[in-house]
Amino acid sequence: MTSMGRPSDQNLETKEIDLRSMSSSSHGQVPQVYKVAVPPRQNLFKEFQATIKETFFADDPLRPFKDQSISRKFILGIEAIFPILKWGRSYNLKKFRGDLISGLTIASLCIPQDIGYAKLAHLSPQYGLYSSFVPPLIYAVMGSSRDIAIGPVAVVSLLLGTLLSNEFDPITNAEEYQRLAFTATFFAGITQATLGVLRLGFLIDFLSHAAIVGFMGGAAITISLQQLKGFLGIKTKMFTTKTDIVSEFVNCFLIHSYYVRQGKKNRRLFWLPAIAPLISVILSTFFVFITRADKKGVEIVRKIEKGINPSSVKDLYLTGENLGKGFKVGIVAGMIALTEASAIGRTFASMKDYQLDGNKEMVALGTMNIVGSMTSCYVATGSFSRSAVNFMAGCQTAVSNIVMSVVVFLTLEFITPLFKYTPNAILSAIIISAVVNLIDYEAAILIWKIDKFDFVACMGAFFGVVFVSVEIGLLIAVCISFAKILLQVTRPRTAILGKIPRTNVYRNIQQYPEASKVPGVLIVRVDSAVYFSNSNYVKERTLRWLTDEEDKVKGDYPTKIQFLIVEMSPVTDIDTSGIQAFQELHRSLEKRGVELVLANPGPVVTEKLYASNFVNAIGEDKIFLTVAEAIAYCSPKVVEDP
């Protein structure tokens, strides 16, 4: 690489100084070598306390409470639970104007979607609207995202419909099915809130981005194929001329598609894709009403219960075998809903450059679903499509969710009878149009380019959902994600290091082909913590590197390997199995006449090396601050083969 020879680059690289060279050669003094410092032993309780803090309180949530009076701490505690009390003090008319526009916009999108999503969950249409009335109000009070729009979503609706149908038939056992849906929603909320309170939000990260992309894409295909039945559910004799009612439905669908395309092309026309579903519903409902197409075979919604959410507290299964069924379904639905909401919240928070407390979000989402389960709602979460429209419409705070909720309330009170003649075909078209965007082929292509194993996880989840079932696809996604973690933990990367020309920097010779190996010395870097799960592999892989290099000595190398330097800066931790593996490595090397040298172990590793007396076994003089120091120690002792 030509850039290596530039003076500026050379000065930058030589900041990793060989401390042995810092000597006064004119006076013949021994060069000063800094020893690897042994960290002072910590109190066991303080060490445990620090570990707990970094694991569960890495974001330091109690920082605002420091040095505050008791009354102020109480106020801060209330604001932490109900963020609306904090940002509400600075709320003004300008912000409300943005929230009003965005709230009305997402309401026009959510009403037809909610009716359609309720069908996916095999519930009556009004339950979709109920789920966009109560949960958004709860979230607006407790949530911290300014942009997320709350309500039923396609993937969770499909998941619930599939899992609940395995327990009860939604037609022949409609009442039991409905009660189980509320019970599952209750436990979904309990799951989400518990994860937030116990600060276990990191558990949802075990479902990788690649697995989510595949799962969402597979679910979108499945939903679309299911909705084709509703979209084409018209008697064959209706297909006569282009002026019949079928053509009118197609026209409505084309109008909807046109609005969506125009909105995507021009961000200022964000409202077009938002109102397209509502316009499609209005037009199709009007055509069915004036032509009485429902009497000619066109399936319609028929009836949506008027009025706001009735209480469903008594409908929850809190005893008996159905309690366990609701619990199982609720955990799965809650985790998927949480994953989707978390991804949406993080995305828009980063776009607007504000912090989002993931654990508070889980508590807010969990609370709204617990309350929702008692008010005839099924699992609600953040919606990709609605949140995107909410963002583009210029929302300022969660008040946009309150505006949407008010519109849904008015719809439930006064407008639901007008949906009687809404054809199922147009609802199916709206659902298909909404879920098609979940097929993110560009993300799949990028995943293929970046990480082939991630692509396997993506495709495994995709084909599992498409060809088997939603739950199997989810299971495959989770299993492959865990398999990747296990593979990375049990098979960490190692590398041979060489010296970059004209520097004291040692890097991977595969990444830097111009890096040269040091005669008689093998430098191996371990790129992972060394635990019981990988300690044996690290030992064997290191010995295999040595064997490969010794085989080369028989050919081109003039000097046999006499020193093995292990570069340990990436090794963040080591356990007793790891220590034992290094002891076995040391004994194997002694039998081969090779000395073991360590370079730059971190504080945790250094402490354990000393505590185990491993340092005494190899010699304290064989642990160095840098690879360059270790090379300076080894090079004068290298003896060429005769």
Side-chain angles (χ1 to χ4, degrees), residues 446-500:
L446 184 62
I447 290 169
W448 167 259
K449 292 179 179 178
I450 295 175
D451 192 318
K452 301 301 186 289
F453 199 98
D454 267 356
F455 185 76
V456 172
C458 179
M459 290 297 100
F462 177 81
F463 288 118
V465 172
V466 171
F467 291 111
V468 187
S469 65
V470 174
E471 57 267 40
I472 293 299
L474 181 61
L475 181 63
I476 291 174
V478 172
C479 288
I480 295 179
S481 296
F482 270 104
K484 182 180 179 182
I485 294 172
L486 290 174
L487 186 63
Q488 291 178 335
V489 170
T490 58
R491 294 294 184 267
R493 295 184 183 275
T494 58
I496 298 294
L497 305 187
K499 185 174 182 292
I500 302 294

Side-chain angles (χ1 to χ4, degrees), residues 112-177:
Q113 280 188 349
D114 290 346
I115 297 173
Y117 291 160
K119 285 178 55 185
L120 281 179
H122 304 309
L123 293 168
S124 299
Q126 65 268 17
Y127 293 109
L129 294 173
Y130 292 162
S131 302
S132 280
F133 172 46
V134 173
L137 291 176
I138 304 298
Y139 182 84
V141 174
M142 299 185 66
S144 55
S145 173
R146 306 171 193 168
D147 305 280
I148 197 170
I150 297 297
V153 296
V155 173
V156 176
S157 299
L158 173 66
L159 184 66
L160 270 180
T162 302
L163 297 179
L164 294 175
S165 296
N166 293 335
E167 306 297 339
F168 291 110
D169 186 280
I171 298 176
T172 58
N173 302 103
E175 183 180 351
E176 290 84 355
Y177 182 92

